[in-house]
Amino acid sequence: MPTTVSKDFRLTESHIRQEDVVQLVTPAGARVANPTFDPWVDDVGADQLASFYEDMVLVRRIDTEATALQRQGELGLWPPLLGQEAAQIGSARALRSDDFAFTSYREHAVAWCRGVALPDLLRMWRGTAASGWNPYDVNVAAPAIIIGAQTLHATGYALGCRKDGVDTVAIAYFGDGATSEGDVNEAMVFAASFQAPVVFFCENNQWAISEPVGVQARNHIADRAPGFGIPSLRVDGNDVLAVHAATRVALERARSGGGPTFIEAVTYRMGPHTTSDDPTRYRDPDELATWQGRDPIARIGLLLEGLDVDVEALDRAVNAKADETARALRAGCVALAAPEPLSVFDNVFTGPHSWLDRQRSQYAAYLAQFDEEA
Amino acid sequence: MPTTVSKDFRLTESHIRQEDVVQLVTPAGARVANPTFDPWVDDVGADQLASFYEDMVLVRRIDTEATALQRQGELGLWPPLLGQEAAQIGSARALRSDDFAFTSYREHAVAWCRGVALPDLLRMWRGTAASGWNPYDVNVAAPAIIIGAQTLHATGYALGCRKDGVDTVAIAYFGDGATSEGDVNEAMVFAASFQAPVVFFCENNQWAISEPVGVQARNHIADRAPGFGIPSLRVDGNDVLAVHAATRVALERARSGGGPTFIEAVTYRMGPHTTSDDPTRYRDPDELATWQGRDPIARIGLLLEGLDVDVEALDRAVNAKADETARALRAGCVALAAPEPLSVFDNVFTGPHSWLDRQRSQYAAYLAQFDEEA
Amino acid sequence: MLQTTTRQLTLAQAINSALRRALQDDDKVLLLGEDIGKLGGVFRVTDGLQADFGSDRVMDAPLAESGIIGTAVGLAYRGYRTVCEIQFDGFIYPGFDQIVAQVAKLHYRTQGAVKMPITLRVPFGGGIGAVEHHSESPEAYFAHTAGLRVVSPSNPQDAHTMLRAAIASDDPVLFFEPKRRYWAKGPVDEDAPGDIEHAAVVTAGTDVTLVTYGALVGVARDAAAAAAEDGVSIEVIDLRSLSPIDFDTVERSVRKTGRLVISHEAQQFAGLGAEIAASVTERCFDYLDHAPVRVTGFDTPYPPSALEEYFLPDLDRMLDGVDRALRKPNSLTDWTANA
Amino acid sequence: MLQTTTRQLTLAQAINSALRRALQDDDKVLLLGEDIGKLGGVFRVTDGLQADFGSDRVMDAPLAESGIIGTAVGLAYRGYRTVCEIQFDGFIYPGFDQIVAQVAKLHYRTQGAVKMPITLRVPFGGGIGAVEHHSESPEAYFAHTAGLRVVSPSNPQDAHTMLRAAIASDDPVLFFEPKRRYWAKGPVDEDAPGDIEHAAVVTAGTDVTLVTYGALVGVARDAAAAAAEDGVSIEVIDLRSLSPIDFDTVERSVRKTGRLVISHEAQQFAGLGAEIAASVTERCFDYLDHAPVRVTGFDTPYPPSALEEYFLPDLDRMLDGVDRALRKPNSLTDWTANA
Ligand SMILES: Cc1ncc(C[n+]2csc(CCOP(=O)(O)OP(=O)(O)O)c2C)c(N)n1
Ligand SMILES: Cc1ncc(C[n+]2csc(CCOP(=O)(O)OP(=O)(O)O)c2C)c(N)n1
Ligand SMILES: [Mg+2]
Ligand SMILES: [Mg+2]
């Protein structure tokens, strides 16, 4: 992998053309030569591919288990990532541990790759906490449910990194629908203006709940960034290797003072928007079938086979791990207990607050009444 | 002028390149042949050019007089359009009377071309009314001071025109600074999504108060629209003929179902941001000098001379008209009286309102007290 | 003459049928929002409307709230009456500027020339176990904004009648739908007259006036029933209109009871309860036996769902408030006495 | 030991010197806003700061308020303390979502892990003859939002001291600057201690408590002087902190006077005056001789400047409010009696 982005490496118009969507591995598992991007993954051998594969299988299992936990009433809601494993893992695995990710609600695999503990993935969905982890422990911000808001946070964080004189990079994850929000566009304006070391990583999973991407954009999503002065790449989001290469390029550009880059990972939301959603109301089942043929996990399996890896053995090991992970997830989930009532007042402010402290005391007195009665 | 935009007429990449900024008249007054745009102004003869010239001179005089009125305490504020006459008149004169303009605060010349009465131009700046005219009398909306908000209004209005099955077009005027606001980007998203017959007309006057356009955008402003699926044009905003041609193209595209078009009129704010501003704090005087050499009025004078028009005679006639206009403006201004106190409660709602009506009555009783005392 | 028919509908269905009638009766009525087309909205409130009225009138919007509302402003300029759906309460804020600076003010800013007959439908409030930003009660922001009407129905009949009145109104209306009551059924007469001005006395009583709105009306009714068993007579008032507030109705009640309890899910500080307490005190000072009592959400962000039962006013907290208004000794008596 | 020096500064200069000190004392402090660099802001409040601290610390932002505030959130994640300038009150609304959903809530949403020490400076209020959107008083929106502190100084000393305390606070602070007082001079001791918690008794009095803040403090002081000539003793309280409110100070005064008048420029309905009236009534019901009286802007959009003298509470309207609190017959007595 190159350590610098050569001066000659320019993200050209062709990178953002449909025809030129970056793909290094076909759905059939064949490795496609690409002189521009191959050098960026020349260090990615069979072992690392196998570990991507493992991560993808594990998060898919986590996802399935979480969906089951929701169905069983253990979670209030779950937004499945099914189908987007490659986009999330290919990119997150390219990050350095000091890089900082600002995600939306669906990036469970990003959180996983960053080291978020299993039950922490579920806290906010179980409703026992507003968010699952301390952002500074894993360098992943609290997930943003307000669509697009996090892109500005990533830009601000990146600006801070520049001021600190470090080569840490911020990456913002968001969806195709998010690109319509003012905030995402303002983030591009600010990132370009301040040349902030930020990567805009758009998972275009073709849908924003029930709205196909065509409602948001008539062009490719990746076409938008260049007008803001931000180079962009369109990449096969179901190809973990291509995503990995593209993210490395973008990160390296940012680290070396090249400013922001925009990546559109073309992928597909194979499941419902969330466990509350019913895609049969709006989605043609054939479309799903087409995309199932482009499954991100299957193709790496085939690629590994082509590389003479014993995929059956790998599968056995990985599936065992997945079973264990699912068990741990479930156990962790049901163990997540509701916090005590008065904690509702915690962390509104960083210190004393005359109004809120009084309200808290009043409520404590009110609650104590019941204890007395009992 | 073509009555339809031919299928072959495509706004190509080259239209949005600096080199290719559309210019039909040079600063020296020479007519530049342009096979693409010439047909769109082939009906614009010396008479019409003279009338553009007249409008430009008149609005410049109006502008100067309003500035003087502000200095003399007759207006609270005035945002001069000095230097932007061609951009505003070239575009506004291309509109049909049923087209609807959504402007910001600086488009006095647009209002003028649409037939806004003289004192009405000043009402909001004198503070005797929140806005100067009934939008439906002249098909110009209340000026938007909240930067960029009007671009969405234009998009909605245009969508309404489409629903009505008419070929009326909405045009949104806004500045270079405005392009950073989320609303302007959302307007492009909505206009593209609904293929609304709207023209986005950006007067890039190089400054947003004290911030040069480089703070907002590293690329040309016109580069942004194509990424949203909206063709764009970059036009010499100080060339009234080029602006006129470009606006006609955009209007015709909209009328014939071609959807939105974005025009960047490259111009210059020769004066301060408003009468409260002091550009010497942030602006190099040489820059102003350069742009004075590109004055939009001077070049049409030279062009007319080249067309054997007696410009001296024209100037005499136009200046006399301008003197008269300035007098009328001043007289109209000082005659604008403050409305009666209780009108502060008018038009908050369209009918009765229990709370506000009571408040109004209370205040009336309060005021009546002073009458009794007197 | 049309025959009056009363049907059992859920609150969501009652809104659906109001939208349907509005679309039928006035071809200037449009619906605009995220996922309101084929999906019928995340709560299915617009179910079937796009199929029946076409995607020209029931429009899926790009994902941008400022865009939705700003587009509705432009449509209003052109004579359309757009009913916008904001998917959840917590997603209205990106559109705040268009609401406060444009929708609320344009009639005033144009000296009455331009009308803004826009209805913003907002599912609001908690109690459904949702994640953050999905359980908010932002009504006070809009009630504090001059030029807007703010209303909230508590039952299917009002939801139907008030929504139709809101759409027909030439003023902009924020229409807050109590989302945890979407599935509650009730009789709906689609031809019943109605307005968006008047409060309703839900339960008559003589000892204490309990004012609330939206989802809490049901809770207040239960509280009144419980109190009745203890011999306390609560008059429950459903405000329905939150701006303006029908103070005549509230005042009439308080002059009778001398005691007022106000309950809402929204945060207390500078919330609507403060306005009601202040206005009623102004109007009925000499009739009040006790300061108005507020029973509200806490001044914290809406908490994670495991804590929402504490945040939300419930029957016990309402009755505790009633006790305080009656100066009955209770846990908080100390607070009100020596605070 | 530092020598304490007191200088005569305008309120704008006092803020400028507070920003300068904050930039000097803590290199994590940044300024971000439109036109705050070379221009020094449209009110020259940041005059000279970019020249002295560089454009890396005093940053001209692209023209987008949500962008400014959202960027500050990201900087806060990274440990920076950003002071954002919002050019005028009426331009804060495009940033409302970032303020309400992010700035206010992120400390809570991350269980205390992330701090948001952001200060949003907002010139606010009317009386300068400006065009629309330039004279608003949006403080109640933020006071109603859990997780934010809201403050407003009325004089140069407080402006200096409170701004430094706001920047030093780990909580997000909305800092409302009374723009029509920018040019008012007063003594400033830059080393004076201070906080953003406490109200100040500006004029001691015994008959009526008059609570206000920002630009109206000067008006209230004049009203007190005028009333004194008529033998009415008004105690004027400058709130300084609008959320939370120092109710202990207000309560102490009202227990003494038994009468309360509240004045603000903002619209009345669901404004801060309602909260003050409600809270004081809760705390001092048995001490009140009259319902709290509100003297505020009307519930209209801010009017064109030719009408602002009517919209804005002035000395006469304040004294009229005092009369009402004293139950002296005046024009509005009827209203309060038989309404
Ligand atoms: C400001 C805001 N508006 C609306 C919503 C409701 N909402 C949640 S997810 C979603 C669709 C998002 O689509 P996309 O950005 O493509 O992300 P995806 O869900 O496909 O990952 C919407 C409309 C929201 N969360 N925030
Ligand atoms: C939302 C909003 N933010 C800030 C302002 C203050 N403001 C008024 S004009 C202006 C600059 C606008 O620049 P541009 O869009 O280029 O238009 P120009 O003034 O050059 O015509 C600013 C920042 C505003 N009016 N509205
Ligand atoms: Mg999507
Ligand atoms: Mg400009």
Side-chain angles (χ1 to χ4, degrees), chain C residues 105 109 132 136 141 143-146 251 255 267 269-270 275 279 281-282 285-286 291 294 299-300 327 339, chain D residues 96 105 109 132 136 141 143-146 251 255 267 269-270 275 279 281-282 286 291 294 300 327 339:
Chain C
K105 295 197 177 91
R109 288 173 53 205
E132 52 177 11
E136 313 222 329
Y141 296 128
H144 182 54
T145 304
E251 189 179 335
R255 289 198 176 205
Q267 282 76 3
F269 194 82
E275 180 55 56
S279 276
T281 305
E282 281 164 21
F285 186 71
D286 297 330
R294 291 180 282 172
D299 288 291
T300 70
R327 297 191 190 244
Chain D
F96 199 73
K105 296 198 176 90
R109 289 173 51 205
E132 53 178 10
E136 314 222 329
Y141 296 128
H144 182 54
T145 304
E251 189 179 335
R255 289 197 177 208
Q267 282 77 1
F269 194 82
E275 180 56 55
S279 276
T281 305
E282 282 165 21
D286 297 330
R294 291 180 281 171
T300 71
R327 297 191 190 243

Side-chain angles (χ1 to χ4, degrees), chain B:
Chain B
M1 157 183 176
T3 53
T4 55
V5 182
S6 92
K7 269 234 161 91
D8 300 334
F9 186 88
R10 292 200 45 187
L11 296 175
T12 63
E13 298 264 330
S14 69
H15 292 130
I16 59 167
R17 293 264 157 68
Q18 167 83 55
E19 316 72 90
D20 289 308
V21 61
V22 181
Q23 187 187 69
L24 301 183
V25 182
T26 68
R31 181 71 169 77
V32 188
N34 183 315
T36 309
F37 289 92
D38 284 348
W40 291 87
V41 285
D42 58 9
D43 61 325
V44 179
D47 282 0
Q48 195 168 345
L49 284 170
S51 95
F52 288 167
Y53 182 77
E54 175 177 316
D55 268 351
M56 290 197 283
V57 172
L58 292 182
V59 297
R60 185 168 288 187
R61 184 69 69 86
I62 289 170
D63 193 59
T64 313
E65 191 67 16
T67 299
L69 283 163
Q70 195 282 334
R71 302 282 179 230
Q72 292 151 13
E74 297 292 344
L75 297 178
L77 189 77
W78 181 254
L81 60 64
L82 188 69
Q84 299 176 221
E85 296 87 352
Q88 295 186 17
I89 286 167
S91 56
R93 291 281 302 266
L95 302 178
R96 232 165 48 189
S97 72
D98 61 319
D99 293 336
F100 209 103
F102 290 82
T103 76
S104 87
Y105 41 82
R106 204 186 295 286
E107 280 73 36
H108 317 302
V110 174
W112 167 257
C113 293
R114 303 295 288 170
V116 169
L118 279 181
D120 288 352
L121 285 176
L122 304 186
R123 280 180 206 279
M124 76 179 278
W125 307 108
R126 189 163 166 86
T128 54
S131 62
W133 54 85
N134 181 328
Y136 297 117
D137 288 346
V138 287
N139 289 343
V140 181
I145 282 182
I146 301 292
I147 300 294
Q150 75 276 19
T151 57
L152 281 166
H153 307 167
T155 301
Y157 190 94
L159 183 56
C161 295
R162 242 193 73 176
K163 291 191 188 301
D164 289 342
V166 297
D167 66 351
T168 303
V169 174
I171 184 167
Y173 287 89
F174 53 100
D176 44 299
T179 60
S180 292
E181 286 280 8
D183 272 7
V184 174
N185 296 280
E186 293 187 10
M188 290 198 271
V189 169
F190 276 66
S193 186
F194 290 119
Q195 286 294 288
V198 58
V199 177
F200 294 109
F201 193 93
C202 178
E203 289 166 82
N204 175 0
N205 64 5
Q206 313 303 321
W207 292 90
I209 310 187
S210 74
E211 298 187 351
V213 61
V215 170
Q216 320 292 340
R218 293 171 66 87
N219 283 29
H220 294 314
I221 298 284
D223 289 358
R224 214 165 287 173
F228 291 85
I230 300 177
S232 72
L233 283 167
R234 200 153 190 266
V235 60
D236 181 339
N238 285 10
D239 172 355
V240 73
L241 194 61
V243 171
H244 198 63
T247 311
R248 281 180 162 184
V249 168
L251 290 169
E252 200 47 46
R253 286 192 74 251
R255 278 194 225 297
S256 58
T261 307
F262 189 106
I263 296 172
E264 176 191 357
V266 182
T267 179
Y268 193 72
R269 194 196 79 205
M270 289 186 180
H273 172 66
T274 66
T275 45
S276 297
D277 182 37
D278 174 9
T280 64
R281 291 179 69 97
Y282 54 80
R283 203 154 78 167
D284 183 348
D286 292 350
E287 187 183 281
L288 178 57
T290 305
W291 280 91
Q292 277 164 336
R294 299 174 190 155
D295 189 281
I297 300 187
R299 80 172 74 176
I300 296 302
L302 294 169
L303 177 68
L304 286 170
E305 271 169 19
L307 295 175
D308 288 337
V309 172
D310 181 349
V311 175
E312 241 173 70
L314 179 63
D315 271 340
R316 269 194 308 277
V318 168
N319 286 333
K321 240 186 185 166
D323 290 344
E324 181 41 43
T325 305
R327 260 192 303 277
L329 186 76
R330 174 170 292 267
C333 175
V334 298
L336 291 174
E340 58 106 15
L342 284 176
S343 72
V344 72
F345 295 99
D346 292 346
N347 300 311
V348 181
F349 295 100
T350 58
H353 186 278
S354 57
W355 175 270
L356 194 64
D357 297 347
R358 186 173 190 267
Q359 196 171 71
R360 181 198 180 104
S361 303
Q362 288 180 340
Y363 188 59
Y366 167 82
L367 286 180
Q369 215 179 186
F370 295 94
D371 295 343
E372 283 157 30
E373 279 170 21

